[in-house]
Amino acid sequence: RAFVLMNFGAPSQGRPARWKCNIQGISQSMDAVRLFDIPGSFSGPTLFVAGGASNYITEECRPEMTQRFPNHRLHVIPGAGHWIR
């Protein structure tokens, strides 16, 4: 919900509510976005930060994280959700 609200412009000074991002362009490009794959890896230091109560980074993700970012660390913040504050 927070992500949606970050991309939504509330009505103001006679302007109607609006999306800040190009929803039509994103919608028309979803197939290309889903199939997008960048070959290779990044060997520099990389830090992933995850909330312990989030299911966004799963165990199934770990092999690809290691393949694409071989020099990564994963720091999990106990009790935090996806939107870490």
Side-chain angles (χ1 to χ4, degrees):
R1 189 171 78 186
F3 174 76
V4 171
L5 291 176
M6 285 178 17
N7 289 285
F8 186 74
S12 169
Q13 299 176 349
R15 271 175 61 181
R18 72 201 188 295
W19 289 108
K20 295 179 183 178
C21 55
N22 182 354
I23 293 293
Q24 183 177 5
I26 293 170
S27 176
Q28 291 172 348
S29 302
M30 280 310 294
D31 287 337
V33 170
R34 275 193 292 270
L35 299 173
F36 185 70
D37 186 27
I38 299 174
S41 64
F42 175 71
S43 61
T46 305
L47 175 64
F48 290 96
V49 178
S54 171
N55 62 356
Y56 195 76
I57 297 178
T58 64
E59 284 301 316
E60 291 80 24
C61 296
R62 299 298 301 274
E64 186 167 359
M65 290 168 63
T66 300
Q67 177 187 356
R68 293 183 178 271
F69 303 94
N71 191 21
H72 81 275
R73 287 188 311 133
L74 172 61
H75 180 76
V76 178
I77 300 176
H82 177 68
W83 294 97
I84 299 170
R85 298 173 196 231

